[in-house]
Amino acid sequence: MAKVIAITNQKGGVGKTTTCCGLCGGLVKRGYKVLAIDLDPQGNLSFSLGVEAEENFTVYDLFKGNCDITDAILTGETCDVIPSNILLSGVELELTGVGREYILREQLEAVHDKYDYIILDTPPALSVLTINAYTASDELIIPMLCEILSLQGIAQLKQTIFAVQRYYNKALKVRGILLNKYNSRLMLTREVEELAQMIAQQLDTQIFASRISASVCIAEAPAHGESIMTYSPKSKAAKEFAAFVDELIGKGKKKSGVNSK
């Protein structure tokens, strides 16, 4: 049975897609079967993982009932991917029926036994797509920058998380807050980190001990359709993501009987 993890923050530019790519790459390296689902109409995760949404079924088709979930799964450079494109931006207005918050969870039932992890990249907005992601997920990971505006995004996110836990998914847990583009030398970093710790307590979660530094390699990897784990496996960023995956699933843990890529 797959564990479903959504990467979320209503503020854009905090490294959600980067976190998805690094997490998918790290899990695959440990031998796990991974499905990444791009819920952002910009389609950045699809591009970053080396799949082409044009002329293929996408998440939009999934929500509209135009295909089965297995028809929308493509093989990327890192893992299997359900891509997205700009058509998804209209789904908020098109989905008006009762139970629209459960569409993704119901679709995922058909592939739960085929994967170990299903990773969801959410849009930078509190939309029906975000609610679907939360309703379908076991855990949330919240990436953020050590900036005040990023902190405000998490504070605003709290109410949505609490509402979903109350009405749609009582088992939903916030696994942790991941600090991206981390620079320990800046005073602002330390100040925001202290405030983030307070919000983490309110969400009954933690700030991950692993930090992800700013890196040119991370910025370059998407152009090659790869995660940082294969594009630059010896880089500092790859080691940081490896440490993050270790922290998330258990240090050095690999799926028995499966060769890692």
Side-chain angles (χ1 to χ4, degrees):
M1 179 68 73
K3 175 172 283 189
V4 184
I5 302 175
I7 313 301
T8 186
N9 190 324
Q10 76 170 60
K11 188 178 186 307
V14 298
K16 290 191 295 293
T17 300
T18 297
T19 300
C20 278
C21 290
L23 178 56
C24 290
L27 290 169
V28 168
K29 189 174 181 179
R30 282 156 180 75
Y32 292 97
K33 182 74 172 174
V34 178
L35 172 64
I37 301 181
D38 192 348
L39 293 172
D40 189 340
Q42 297 178 76
N44 290 334
L45 181 66
S46 309
F47 176 79
S48 299
L49 293 177
V51 300
E52 178 58 62
E54 299 302 322
E55 299 183 4
N56 290 299
F57 288 119
T58 66
V59 173
Y60 174 79
D61 295 296
L62 204 61
F63 275 93
K64 292 291 289 181
N66 298 335
C67 68
D68 294 328
I69 189 168
T70 53
D71 298 326
I73 296 173
L74 302 177
T75 302
E77 294 295 328
T78 300
C79 61
D80 286 351
V81 183
I82 298 180
S84 172
N85 59 21
I86 196 62
L87 287 174
L88 194 59
S89 60
V91 79
E92 182 87 27
L93 298 176
E94 296 178 42
L95 296 178
T96 58
V98 175
R100 65 178 188 161
E101 298 86 359
Y102 297 93
I103 294 174
L104 183 60
R105 185 163 82 179
E106 291 171 352
Q107 288 282 355
L108 289 181
E109 290 177 359
V111 295
H112 261 299
D113 293 335
K114 298 180 180 179
Y115 296 94
D116 300 300
Y117 287 90
I118 298 174
I119 309 300
L120 311 179
D121 189 15
T122 61
L126 298 179
S127 65
V128 67
L129 296 171
T130 306
I131 301 301
N132 263 268
Y134 292 5
T135 302
S137 293
D138 301 302
E139 297 177 349
L140 304 179
I141 293 174
I142 306 174
M144 66 167 284
L145 307 182
C146 288
E147 299 174 356
I148 296 299
L149 292 179
S150 184
L151 195 62
Q152 287 182 324
I154 297 179
Q156 295 167 356
L157 196 64
K158 285 193 306 178
Q159 300 307 316
T160 302
I161 294 172
F162 292 155
V164 170
Q165 289 172 328
R166 181 176 181 181
Y167 296 110
Y168 304 120
N169 185 1
K170 297 183 186 303
L172 180 66
K173 303 293 183 184
V174 181
R175 183 62 185 274
I177 297 171
L178 178 67
L179 301 180
N180 277 327
K181 297 184 179 179
Y182 186 80
N183 187 343
S184 61
R185 294 174 295 178
L186 299 178
M187 182 174 292
L188 178 62
T189 295
R190 296 191 292 272
E191 292 174 349
V192 171
E193 196 169 354
E194 291 177 2
L195 294 172
Q197 186 62 56
M198 295 173 59
I199 293 179
Q201 291 175 357
Q202 295 171 15
L203 290 170
D204 192 25
T205 190
Q206 63 173 336
I207 296 178
F208 287 107
S210 306
R211 271 73 164 139
I212 309 299
S213 306
S215 170
V216 173
C217 294
I218 290 178
E220 292 174 343
H224 299 268
E226 297 183 58
S227 79
I228 188 66
M229 310 304 285
T230 54
Y231 175 70
S232 185
K234 296 183 179 180
S235 66
K236 179 182 179 182
K239 293 176 182 177
E240 289 173 340
F241 268 111
F244 169 55
V245 173
D246 281 342
E247 185 176 358
L248 185 67
I249 68 171
K251 186 173 178 59
K253 185 178 178 182
K254 293 189 177 183
K255 185 179 181 182
S256 60
V258 179
N259 295 323
S260 60
K261 291 185 179 180

